[in-house]
Amino acid sequence: MSILCFLPPYFESIYILLALVGDVNFAAGSFYDVQLDEQQSDAISVTGQANVSGATLRIQAAPGAYPLEKEYEILTAEKGIKGTFANITSDLVFRTPRLRQNEHSAVLAVPRNEIPFEQLADNQNQKNVAKILDKQEMLTDLKHPLSWLNEDSAHTAFDNLSGAVQASVHSILLANSHIIREVVTTAMHRRKAADNHQSVWGNLLASKSSLKGDNKTEGVDHRTHGLVIGSDIKLGDNWHVGIAGAVGQTFFNTDQASSAGVIDNYNLALYGGSHLGALAARFGGAYAFHDLNLDRRIVFPGFSETVKSNYNAGTMQFWGELSYAIPTNAALFEPFFGLAHVSKRVA
């Protein structure tokens, strides 16, 4: 029997043991495609002779939790094997197939090669993770399944391990800093028309937004709800100062749903303003304490684990604006110029 092109993997997840009576001859330029996983592989067994001279052996390894030392008998011939495969290929990056051939059988092993994990990393976060993996000798449970991944799967695994979502979470803190600032500033705008000496106000918070990811961070969706209560008093004819407090929660999850968590937010703000005719000045400062709880799923073929983290952070901000009121018969226009400075601290 002559084989021009033998392709068992027409049927995914089905491993083929092809038993033939007589000889088998692989023509020059033909392919013997072998699928394998943690337990088994495709194989050919013949009662005659097997001639493999000039053929190419192509290995298709399914990702998974492979035994540390696993070999596969992929070809047996009762009357012997003639020649050797011209080439052996696979899509694995960190492992190189090796064929041990004797008179009657060919046994495949796929040992770890010398390519470091860092060589495949394509951004700084992945490189940081890969460097640690390359240096550590005791992370067998993690490094072993990683070594069986192809290029695309390895990039995904490095992203999961890098914890890039942490940067996205910190971006949420900065992005949400506008909420307390805008609520307090809105209260100061309302105060402009109030004649009473003291006012007490409250506001419910509700916000929903998304942050786009890039090759260094994960995209994340987040929503915030809470309550703000404030009070201010008049000082003289034109000034007023006040204090406000807010409590709330922010829920977030990444685009790939690999990470999710909640942030408890506690805000304290001091603010003030003054009016001189149509000209108005408003300013304030706020500090927010954040209690972050994050569940991060690290999942790739052969490995699955959920990492929980809890830590604190704080954001401090100062802002101010100048505006000029222009009344018309149809509406009141109030162009303004404002600045805000926000800083973040992670404990």
Side-chain angles (χ1 to χ4, degrees):
M1 177 180 181
S2 296
I3 296 182
L4 296 178
C5 187
F6 179 64
L7 299 170
Y10 282 147
F11 305 99
E12 293 185 2
S13 303
I14 297 178
Y15 292 89
I16 297 177
L17 174 58
L18 184 62
L20 302 175
V21 176
D23 299 335
V24 61
N25 296 298
F26 286 86
S30 64
F31 303 103
Y32 178 17
D33 283 2
V34 175
Q35 287 189 131
L36 56 90
D37 64 11
E38 305 100 313
Q39 302 297 328
Q40 59 187 333
S41 72
D42 300 320
I44 296 176
S45 176
V46 299
T47 60
Q49 186 182 69
N51 184 355
V52 299
S53 298
T56 295
L57 176 61
R58 299 194 301 195
I59 305 303
Q60 300 175 350
Y66 284 74
L68 290 178
E69 301 294 337
K70 179 66 176 177
E71 294 185 336
Y72 305 86
E73 190 173 59
I74 62 170
L75 178 63
T76 59
E78 293 182 8
K79 294 185 179 180
I81 299 176
K82 182 180 178 180
T84 59
F85 287 98
N87 294 292
I88 304 176
T89 65
S90 79
D91 64 348
L92 299 175
V93 180
F94 306 113
R95 290 184 173 270
T96 301
R98 296 284 185 265
L99 196 64
R100 188 178 75 252
Q101 186 174 311
N102 57 35
E103 184 178 356
H104 296 286
S105 67
V107 178
L108 176 71
V110 193
R112 178 75 166 91
N113 57 33
E114 298 299 321
I115 296 177
F117 290 117
E118 185 181 359
Q119 182 171 316
L120 202 65
D122 62 2
N123 62 51
Q124 192 57 51
N125 290 329
Q126 292 187 10
K127 288 180 180 179
N128 292 338
V129 170
K131 286 178 181 179
I132 295 174
L133 291 169
D134 287 330
K135 292 178 180 179
Q136 295 293 331
E137 298 295 334
M138 303 303 293
L139 299 177
T140 302
D141 290 344
L142 180 59
K143 295 170 66 174
H144 184 66
L146 269 174
S147 69
W148 284 93
L149 300 180
N150 59 29
E151 184 173 350
D152 290 339
S153 296
H155 285 149
T156 300
F158 289 155
D159 280 335
N160 283 343
L161 289 167
S162 71
V165 65
Q166 299 286 1
S168 299
V169 172
H170 297 167
S171 296
I172 292 175
L173 301 182
L174 295 176
N176 279 353
S177 65
H178 75 94
I179 297 176
I180 184 70
R181 185 168 67 245
E182 291 179 357
V183 169
V184 170
T185 301
T186 299
M188 286 192 280
H189 276 273
R190 291 197 301 262
R191 188 71 166 99
K192 178 179 180 180
D195 295 327
N196 53 313
H197 179 71
Q198 182 178 11
S199 69
V200 177
W201 55 270
N203 203 97
L204 293 176
L205 301 179
S207 173
K208 184 177 181 180
S209 186
S210 298
L211 296 175
K212 292 183 177 180
D214 54 28
N215 66 337
K216 294 183 180 180
T217 60
E218 289 192 70
V220 62
D221 299 321
H222 59 97
R223 63 188 189 279
T224 299
H225 64 256
L227 173 66
V228 185
I229 295 178
S231 177
D232 54 66
I233 61 174
K234 271 191 172 183
L235 294 178
D237 294 331
N238 298 318
W239 286 88
H240 64 274
V241 295
I243 185 171
V247 294
Q249 286 186 312
T250 300
F251 300 89
F252 62 89
N253 60 274
T254 58
D255 291 344
Q256 290 77 27
S258 60
S259 303
V262 61
I263 308 171
D264 295 321
N265 306 301
Y266 306 91
N267 293 265
L268 180 64
L270 299 175
Y271 62 93
S274 178
H275 298 87
L276 184 60
L279 182 67
R282 304 174 184 92
F283 53 86
Y287 179 80
F289 173 80
H290 310 282
D291 182 24
L292 295 93
N293 292 274
L294 171 64
D295 291 343
R296 184 161 60 91
R297 294 178 62 240
I298 303 174
V299 179
F300 54 87
F303 187 88
S304 178
E305 188 171 315
T306 298
V307 178
K308 296 180 179 291
S309 58
N310 172 250
Y311 58 94
N312 299 325
T315 51
M316 180 175 289
Q317 60 179 308
F318 301 95
W319 70 90
E321 73 170 40
L322 290 173
S323 66
Y324 191 85
I326 304 174
T328 68
N329 293 331
L332 173 68
F333 295 94
E334 191 171 8
F336 69 93
F337 172 79
L339 289 174
H341 172 77
V342 185
S343 61
K344 170 179 62 67
R345 176 190 60 84
V346 178

